[in-house]
Amino acid sequence: QLPILHTETNFADSSADEWGVCQLLELAKVATAGVPVLGFTWYSLMDQYNWDNALKGSPQDTRIYPVGLVSLPDYKLRPFAEKVLPELLQMLKG
């Protein structure tokens, strides 16, 4: 029953949304089981440019990788976060 802080990263592939839902749902299970949850971090909060080459490529290589809770360039919650995050926050409030 020690408090936890969930820290998670992500990866740039087609299953990133599934991974995000899984992480949020697992955290909700932990909280529902009575384990105090101090917080949740997701790296990165926003999608990233050139995840694979750290902006070392040419301007033509600039790509956005959909790995964040918030999408670029429109700054909206990604579908999995929009679907699960409000319920998770409500659960964590108790």
Side-chain angles (χ1 to χ4, degrees):
Q1 294 301 309
L2 292 175
I4 64 166
L5 173 65
H6 182 284
T7 60
E8 188 53 61
T9 189
N10 50 48
F11 49 92
D13 91 0
S14 61
S15 63
D17 283 355
E18 292 173 29
W19 180 253
V21 169
C22 178
Q23 295 306 301
L24 294 173
L25 291 177
E26 290 296 322
L27 184 61
K29 286 180 189 176
V30 168
T32 301
V35 176
V37 176
L38 299 176
F40 172 83
T41 63
W42 184 270
Y43 181 83
S44 74
L45 178 61
M46 294 173 27
D47 291 345
Q48 294 203 358
Y49 288 95
N50 287 34
W51 179 270
D52 62 341
N53 67 15
L55 296 174
K56 294 177 190 167
S58 71
Q60 292 81 14
D61 290 336
T62 301
R63 286 170 284 194
I64 296 174
Y65 288 86
V67 295
L69 292 177
V70 177
S71 65
L72 292 175
D74 57 3
Y75 301 101
K76 293 183 180 177
L77 276 177
R78 302 265 325 261
F80 80 87
E82 191 172 294
K83 179 171 43 176
V84 180
L85 202 52
E87 292 177 32
L88 175 63
L89 292 173
Q90 188 62 35
M91 233 183 269
L92 292 175
K93 287 181 183 177

